[in-house]
Amino acid sequence: AWQSAVAGDPSALSELAEHLEKVADGVKGAVVERKFWSLGFHYRGVPVREKTGLLVAAQAVARNWIANHQGFEVLESSQLLEIRLAAVRKSLAVPWILERAGESARILALGDDITDEDMFQALHPADEAILVGEAKKRHTAARWNLGSPADTVTFLCWAHNARAEVPTSPPAVLPVPVSVPQPGLHAAPIGPAY
């Protein structure tokens, strides 16, 4: 069963959620997403002419709240402002998975935003990280890239069938190497095995 990897009171985020919901109120496409240890302020669907003002207001609310709540941080991603407990990171999943699957297990980690980078960096050299979306927009610890969520579904369906030894056609899409290798990260990419 799931257990929290950190101690603390996630209810502190309720106050922040209320303030951010007031910022989002009446703005088409603005959404506050409550998670256990974080809040996401999504503005992808907000009309372009309203984004800057909305983001400035949300950042001000988040900064003021963070000033009075130690241990939290603000991350800015693609059309998302995330406020989370700094100790809670996706990288915590790597040892948790290996503890259950065994140290010899290999991990294929996929992610599409900045909150996935600490997980990518926590992977072992034999594991693989795939950035979903346009890799040219930012630096990443991922060695591989899939251009879209649709490409990801296609690739994962093919990988599932291949691992299940179901007869499969050659993959319609494969991850491509990230074009700019990052210093100190994984070695050169290796080709896929069919």
Side-chain angles (χ1 to χ4, degrees), residues 146 151 154-159 162 168-175 192-194:
L146 282 165
D151 288 348
T154 299
F155 170 69
L156 289 175
C157 287
W158 171 81
T168 58
S169 300
V173 64
L174 285 172
Y194 293 72

Side-chain angles (χ1 to χ4, degrees), residues 78-143:
S78 177
Q79 312 290 312
L80 168 69
L81 187 68
E82 182 169 330
I83 301 90
R84 71 178 186 187
L85 189 63
V88 176
R89 300 176 177 278
K90 292 179 182 178
S91 59
L92 296 174
V94 173
W96 184 87
I97 290 168
L98 292 175
E99 181 181 300
R100 281 147 186 80
E103 284 295 321
S104 63
R106 299 289 46 102
I107 297 174
L108 175 64
L110 293 92
D112 65 352
D113 68 35
I114 197 73
T115 65
D116 299 307
E117 289 298 327
D118 64 304
M119 174 181 58
F120 293 166
Q121 292 172 4
L123 295 173
H124 295 157
D127 299 330
E128 295 296 346
I130 300 175
L131 177 65
V132 177
E134 194 170 330
K136 294 177 185 173
K137 290 185 177 180
R138 65 179 172 88
H139 293 290
T140 181
R143 292 193 317 161

